Amino acid sequence: MKQLTIIKIGGNVIDNSENLHQFLLDFTALPGDKILVHGGGKIATELSESLGIEAKMVEGRRITDIETLRIVTMVYAGLINKNMVAQLQAKGSNAIGLSGADGNVIKATKRPVKAVTYGNEPGPLAGSVIDYGYVGDLDENSVSSATLHNLLNAGLVPVLCAITHDGNSQLLNTNADTIASSVAVAMSSLYETRLVYCFEKKGVLKDVSDDASVVREIKAGEFEGLKADGTVQGGMIPKLLNAFEAIKKGVSAVYIGKADELAELADGTFGTKMLK
């Protein structure tokens, strides 16, 4: 099977023009078929504030009301996506920018309104009903692998933003990490897929204050032990849980590392590699 690399970049790359320029050069230089997935960085929040629209968060998750949806659609699917595609074209990568609605490539389901629970412990929002608004959730049938496969066969590089649709004309805001994982899983029946998350750290670190302490490989069976001894903690726990879930569903390997070291992916020294 041919190899396919799905790379997700975060705001630390998007928000810095110099970092973005270098990342896109390294991305273009990667051999083989590839797909890029991105969110919106700080630009959507800054635009919201300039328009007097307050960002609403519950337990760290953004509420996407209709005004926020309009802004993130303009920023994610418009400004950021098309700027990135234009830069990739200038670097010799024949990119095509897509939202989930384009080519019906990603169809989501609007997140249902639900009560907040905290297990057996009553939290500050216990009993509250939360409506996340126009947020899209994905399942195993959300991604059109055939559409992406056809684009790749045509020599195009898909650049996917964090906007999806529900098939009934409604756009939805969907987590970019989730999109990247879902795309990798969906494409694993057609390619040997590897999923790469680029963020601000060099990978999983034995010592969070020492960038040289990167754990180069983690197997699924080692995860609980690393969590117990504190090597994996905080926000890294859900990242790794998602990584191993993707591997369980057919992705060959997941990498987590620093965006400005993406070139090292070619020789196998990039960040931390998660394996079965």
Side-chain angles (χ1 to χ4, degrees):
M1 297 174 81
K2 291 176 67 178
Q3 186 175 77
L4 172 65
T5 305
I6 294 97
I7 298 179
K8 188 268 174 178
I9 57 167
N12 61 311
V13 182
I14 295 169
D15 298 332
N16 184 303
S17 58
E18 186 176 327
N19 288 351
L20 181 60
H21 169 74
Q22 185 58 54
F23 170 83
L24 293 176
L25 281 174
D26 294 339
F27 176 81
T28 299
L30 282 178
D33 291 331
K34 52 210 168 193
I35 295 172
L36 183 60
V37 180
H38 69 86
K42 296 183 295 187
I43 299 174
T45 299
E46 291 171 353
L47 179 58
S48 293
E49 291 173 351
S50 71
L51 295 173
I53 300 169
E54 182 183 358
K56 300 171 186 175
M57 309 289 287
V58 174
E59 297 294 294
R61 294 184 179 183
R62 184 185 297 272
I63 302 294
T64 305
D65 58 19
I66 191 62
E67 293 299 328
T68 301
L69 179 67
R70 289 169 179 164
I71 288 169
V72 297
T73 300
M74 287 188 288
V75 173
Y76 299 175
L79 179 63
I80 292 175
N81 189 268
K82 300 314 170 191
N83 175 60
M84 211 170 292
V85 168
Q87 289 196 52
L88 284 168
Q89 293 291 354
K91 294 169 175 55
S93 182
N94 193 12
I96 180 169
L98 303 166
S99 73
D102 297 301
N104 194 31
V105 70
I106 305 175
K107 188 161 72 172
T109 302
K110 185 176 181 292
R111 183 172 296 168
V113 177
K114 55 187 176 183
V116 176
T117 58
Y118 290 83
N120 296 323
E121 296 295 326
L125 297 175
S128 299
V129 174
I130 302 298
D131 182 358
Y132 286 101
Y134 296 95
V135 170
D137 291 328
L138 307 182
D139 60 32
E140 64 275 8
N141 299 312
S142 291
V143 177
S144 174
S145 55
T147 300
L148 290 171
H149 181 55
N150 288 338
L151 292 172
L152 292 165
N153 277 345
L156 295 167
V157 177
V159 180
L160 301 171
C161 71
I163 300 297
T164 59
H165 78 129
D166 69 354
N168 291 302
S169 76
Q170 181 60 60
L171 295 173
L172 297 166
N173 183 17
T174 298
N175 181 273
D177 283 352
T178 302
I179 288 176
S181 177
S182 296
V183 168
V185 170
M187 300 303 286
S188 65
S189 63
L190 301 170
Y191 298 83
E192 180 187 340
T193 59
R194 56 181 181 176
L195 173 60
V196 182
Y197 286 110
C198 292
F199 75 140
E200 68 276 8
K201 295 290 187 181
K202 288 177 174 286
V204 178
L205 305 177
K206 292 179 182 176
D207 178 353
V208 292
S209 62
D210 181 6
D211 279 351
S213 65
V214 178
V215 180
R216 288 300 175 188
E217 289 188 354
I218 301 175
K219 293 182 179 178
E222 299 170 336
F223 174 64
E224 289 300 328
L226 291 171
K227 190 168 65 169
D229 69 18
T231 299
V232 176
Q233 56 183 296
M236 190 60 72
I237 292 174
K239 284 183 187 294
L240 265 62
L241 284 173
N242 289 334
F244 288 122
E245 184 66 17
I247 290 171
K248 181 180 176 182
K249 293 179 178 178
V251 176
S252 61
V254 180
Y255 296 79
I256 296 177
K258 201 167 185 178
D260 61 10
E261 297 181 346
L262 183 63
E264 297 176 5
L265 189 65
D267 61 18
T269 60
F270 173 81
T272 302
K273 182 179 183 181
M274 265 62 69
L275 299 163
K276 293 180 181 178

